[in-house]
Amino acid sequence: MATARTAAPRASAGGGSKRLMGWLGIAGLIILIDQLSKIMVDRTFAYGERVAVLPFFDFTLLYNRGAAFSFLAGGAGWQRWFFTVIGLGASALIIWLLLRHGHQRMFSWAITLILGGALGNVIDRLIHGHVVDFLLFYYDKWYFPAFNIADSAITVGAVLMIVDEIRRVRKGS
């Protein structure tokens, strides 16, 4: 006699893959916007050139051989491949998570933004050996490290993930 097992709800094969394709399309759009913006800035600006946009914001062309906040930027070149492997590994995990949890909208938005940003920066590392940064915020003599669209997507995704987790925990209590 067979017993009924309870399992996590599973979308139909077509529904889950269709949903995944939607999330991957959004990640692809983030990658496209990121890469086009980097190409435009890289072709328009000389390295280190700054153009004031607002009293606290400039466009500038800088290269980052490291990770966030130029972490390990002074390495001998091994960090290019280290961060590429991390970015690809994280992307594979995110795709798996989207396949399993694509119905959770805020969580999926969060990790889709992170996926698009991570792959945007991986593309830079593979093509150039560094990440192209061009958004520079500052106040007086204080400067936030320059960043790009991919970094912005990763940051917004991380914030959404925190908000999603806080909401999930509050629902549980």
Side-chain angles (χ1 to χ4, degrees):
M1 178 192 304
T3 59
R5 259 206 283 185
T6 57
R10 196 175 262 251
S12 67
S17 61
K18 201 179 285 190
R19 192 173 12 246
L20 175 64
M21 293 310 294
W23 293 122
L24 293 179
I26 293 167
L29 185 60
I30 293 164
I31 293 166
L32 179 66
I33 293 167
D34 174 64
Q35 289 298 303
L36 289 175
S37 66
K38 290 172 179 175
I39 289 167
M40 183 185 75
V41 170
D42 207 25
R43 289 184 179 172
T44 305
F45 289 75
Y47 182 81
E49 180 182 359
R50 288 176 57 179
V51 173
V53 178
L54 296 169
F56 56 87
F57 171 69
D58 292 352
F59 284 129
T60 187
L61 176 60
L62 297 172
Y63 301 140
N64 182 358
R65 297 191 187 288
F69 305 105
S70 297
F71 177 66
L72 296 178
W78 60 268
Q79 71 276 23
R80 171 187 186 182
W81 303 111
F82 177 72
F83 291 125
T84 298
V85 168
I86 287 176
L88 292 173
S91 297
L93 174 63
I94 289 170
I95 292 168
W96 179 79
L97 288 169
L98 285 169
L99 193 55
R100 298 201 31 101
H101 303 284
H103 60 283
Q104 297 175 3
R105 289 182 56 83
M106 187 177 294
F107 177 73
S108 295
W109 269 107
I111 62 176
T112 296
L113 289 167
I114 293 168
L115 175 65
L119 289 176
N121 285 339
V122 163
I123 290 168
D124 279 13
R125 284 188 174 83
L126 290 173
I127 292 173
H128 307 294
H130 57 257
V131 174
V132 176
D133 289 328
F134 59 91
L135 303 170
L136 181 65
F137 285 88
Y138 57 92
Y139 176 75
D140 197 25
K141 294 180 183 184
W142 174 87
Y143 289 85
F144 190 80
F147 59 100
N148 56 47
I149 302 298
D151 298 333
S152 300
I154 292 167
T155 302
V156 171
V159 168
L160 282 177
M161 189 176 284
I162 291 167
V163 169
D164 182 58
E165 183 63 14
I166 290 169
R167 288 175 56 193
R168 187 188 68 74
V169 167
R170 284 187 178 165
K171 280 183 185 177
S173 53

